[in-house]
């Protein structure tokens, strides 16, 4: 039974480190980061955090006890050592003392751990915010988050010193990045094609793996239209070799992608400005076509209504006016001679 109490006591003092690490790693990202590791993997990494959090919290509670001794009870460090080491002396002579330390003030023991756990989470979030605000994770690998896709797709990898040492370009920094152009090789039924577009957003599945890429200005081409000769080294996009995909947004699924290429473009890059201008022009044309189609549809609807009303009126006229002169029988036609004889 004492072993169970010891395990519970150890977990109670290690849990602040686990909560701190989890809050720091997850932070305020609006997408999952994947697994943080199994419990046995997280415990060794959380021991250092658990140590300083317990030390700071015990010191703070001690200071509060000295300020209000009648309100807050002091920490019984001997009882804590008994519980953690599972050593209660011969015949468990100190066991009653350790139990009494818990049962005398159970509410204060509960509040001690409750607020310590809340403090651990708050410290994790605060450290996350400080690291992200000061951009320390870009320059200190130890502070980097387990979110490689975010760093790559948003271009923050451009500020990594180790990225530049591995041969990355130093011509553009993250603050200068305006767009991320994605080029993907996608396997179709009978061939592979290249898809390209400007990255707008990306989405993760429930396991923390990237699931979809959202693009605008999407284009595609097959490999049989590869450039030849000097055009291979050209950095511009040849419209003659690419087929522009009509639509506002294009979704690329990672399950269908074989390889990915990222091209970070400066905010004032002329090529991207041309793509954006083409997108706006195409959007204006689509809106004009929709307005014209809607006008034709309304005009046709009005014509159909008028035609239907005219048919109904023509069908109703014979019932209202009776037989016309042409429809009367010849015997019913007036005789001018008979009218003259009767008048005489």
């Amino acid at each position: 039974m004492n072993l169970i109490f010891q395990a519970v006591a150890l977990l109670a003092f290690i849990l602040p480190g686990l909560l701190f690490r989890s809050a720091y790693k997850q932070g305020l990202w609006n997408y999952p980061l994947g697994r943080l590791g199994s419990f046995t993997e997280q415990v060794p990494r959380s021991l250092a955090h658990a140590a300083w959090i317990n030390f700071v919290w015990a010191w703070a509670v001690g200071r509060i006890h000295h300020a209000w001794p009648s309100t807050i009870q002091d920490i019984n460090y001997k009882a804590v050592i008994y519980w953690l080491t599972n050593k209660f002396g011969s015949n468990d002579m100190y066991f009653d003392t350790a139990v009494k330390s818990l049962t005398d003030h159970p509410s204060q023991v509960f509040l001690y751990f409750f607020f310590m756990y809340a403090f651990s989470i708050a410290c994790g979030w605060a450290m996350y915010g400080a690291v992200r605000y000061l951009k320390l994770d870009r320059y200190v690998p130890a502070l980097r988050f387990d979110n490689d896709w975010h760093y790559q797709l948003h271009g923050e990898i451009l500020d990594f010193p180790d990225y530049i040492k591995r041969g990355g370009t130093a011509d553009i920094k993250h603050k200068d990045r305006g767009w991320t152009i994605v080029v993907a090789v996608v396997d179709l039924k009978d061939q592979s094609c290249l898809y390209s577009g400007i990255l707008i957003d990306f989405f993760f599945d429930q396991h923390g793996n990237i699931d979809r890429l959202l693009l605008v200005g999407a284009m595609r081409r097959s490999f049989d239209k590869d450039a030849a000769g000097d055009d291979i080294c050209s950095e511009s996009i040849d419209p003659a070799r690419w087929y522009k995909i009509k639509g506002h947004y294009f979704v690329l699924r990672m399950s269908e992608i074989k390889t990915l290429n990222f091209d970070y473009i400066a905010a004032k890059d002329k090529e991207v400005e041309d793509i954006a201008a083409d997108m706006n022009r195409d959007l204006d044309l689509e809106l004009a076509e929709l307005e014209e189609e809607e006008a034709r549809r309304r005009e046709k609807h009005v014509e159909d209504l008028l035609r239907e009303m005219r048919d109904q009126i023509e069908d109703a006229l014979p019932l209202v006016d009776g037989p016309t002169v042409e429809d009367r029988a010849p015997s019913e036609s007036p005789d001018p001679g008979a009218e003259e004889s009767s008048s005489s």
Side-chain angles (χ1 to χ4, degrees), residues 169-200:
T169 178
D171 298 336
I172 181 174
K173 293 294 184 180
H174 176 260
K175 64 178 182 179
D176 303 321
R177 185 197 68 91
W179 310 86
T180 299
I181 294 183
V182 175
V183 180
V185 178
V186 178
D187 277 341
L188 301 179
K189 184 177 181 180
D190 53 350
Q191 63 176 344
S192 296
C193 288
L194 282 175
Y195 285 84
S196 177
I198 301 174
L199 179 69
I200 295 297

Side-chain angles (χ1 to χ4, degrees), residues 67-206:
W68 297 282
S70 60
T71 305
I72 303 297
Q73 298 297 320
D74 197 9
I75 300 174
N76 190 339
Y77 291 102
K78 289 184 178 180
V80 173
I81 294 175
Y82 294 155
W83 286 115
L84 292 178
T85 60
N86 196 25
K87 301 295 183 181
F88 299 99
S90 60
N91 299 323
D92 292 345
M93 58 183 299
Y94 298 118
F95 183 75
D96 293 338
T97 303
V99 172
K100 189 173 183 298
S101 65
L102 298 177
T103 57
D104 284 350
H105 306 282
S107 60
Q108 292 197 14
V109 174
F110 171 78
L111 292 176
Y112 176 91
F113 285 101
F114 176 81
F115 285 110
M116 182 173 64
Y117 297 153
F119 173 74
S120 304
I121 297 174
C123 287
W125 285 342
M127 186 173 179
Y128 162 84
V131 169
R132 289 295 295 167
Y133 179 78
L134 298 175
K135 302 176 182 178
L136 298 177
D137 55 327
R138 304 184 191 179
Y139 307 104
V140 183
L143 297 177
R144 204 159 291 162
F145 298 92
D146 299 328
N147 201 351
D148 295 336
W149 281 113
H150 173 88
Y151 292 126
Q152 294 181 23
L153 295 175
H154 281 287
E156 294 183 16
I157 193 175
L158 296 171
D159 293 339
F160 289 6
D162 48 343
Y163 163 76
I164 298 176
K165 291 180 181 178
R166 292 196 302 265
T169 178
D171 298 336
I172 181 174
K173 293 294 184 180
H174 176 260
K175 64 178 182 179
D176 303 321
R177 185 197 68 91
W179 310 86
T180 299
I181 294 183
V182 175
V183 180
V185 178
V186 178
D187 277 341
L188 301 179
K189 184 177 181 180
D190 53 350
Q191 63 176 344
S192 296
C193 288
L194 282 175
Y195 285 84
S196 177
I198 301 174
L199 179 69
I200 295 297
D201 203 352
F202 51 95
F203 306 94
F204 289 78
D205 59 18
Q206 59 183 353

Side-chain angles (χ1 to χ4, degrees), residues 228-274:
D230 297 336
D231 293 338
I232 296 178
C233 300
S234 177
E235 296 182 356
S236 61
I237 297 178
D238 185 6
R241 295 190 294 116
W242 289 85
Y243 170 77
K244 189 169 184 180
I245 301 174
K246 187 176 181 180
H248 297 158
Y249 297 102
F250 185 78
V251 178
L252 272 178
R253 295 190 176 276
M254 292 298 295
S255 59
E256 302 172 352
I257 296 176
K258 292 185 63 177
T259 56
L260 273 175
N261 178 70
F262 303 131
D263 192 8
Y264 304 111
I265 306 298
K268 297 182 179 181
D269 190 272
K270 185 178 184 303
E271 181 177 345
V272 177
E273 289 182 352
D274 294 341

